[in-house]
């Protein structure tokens, strides 16, 4: 299980996971990849200030599994 906060966010999100994260991918509501960040560890902060206001899917890749959560960018 992972914790993503704050949600909704304005410029960045912090992620805390139970197992090491390999990659964080962010997709828009149309399924287009808008950001990828390689990560090595249980915690990270992702700068999403360049994204437009709206709803996105944040995918965490752990190597052996994945999880997806909905995040919302506010102004």
């Amino acid at each position: 299980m992972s914790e993503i906060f704050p949600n909704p966010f304005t410029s960045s999100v912090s992620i805390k996971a139970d197992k090491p994260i390999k990659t964080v991918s962010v997709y828009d509501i149309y399924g287009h990849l808008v950001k990828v960040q390689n990560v090595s560890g249980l915690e990270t902060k992702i700068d999403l200030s360049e994204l437009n206001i709206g709803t996105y899917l944040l995918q965490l890749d752990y190597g052996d599994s994945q999880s997806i959560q909905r995040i919302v960018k506010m102004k």
Side-chain angles (χ1 to χ4, degrees), residues 22-64:
K22 305 278 186 201
T23 308
V24 177
S25 304
V26 181
Y27 296 88
D28 66 16
I29 59 171
Y30 303 107
H32 299 117
L33 182 64
V34 295
K35 179 144 186 157
V36 176
Q37 184 166 320
N38 291 325
V39 179
S40 178
L42 299 174
E43 296 183 19
T44 191
K45 186 173 185 175
I46 308 291
D47 178 12
L48 300 173
S49 58
E50 75 278 4
L51 298 182
N52 293 323
I53 293 169
T55 302
Y56 295 87
L57 295 176
L58 189 140
Q59 177 180 302
L60 302 177
D61 186 347
Y62 303 103
D64 62 348

Side-chain angles (χ1 to χ4, degrees), residues 1-5 14-18 21 42-44 60:
M1 183 95 188
S2 58
E3 182 181 357
I4 299 170
F5 57 94
S14 295
I15 303 168
K16 290 185 181 179
D18 295 340
I21 305 164
L42 299 174
E43 296 183 19
T44 191
L60 302 177

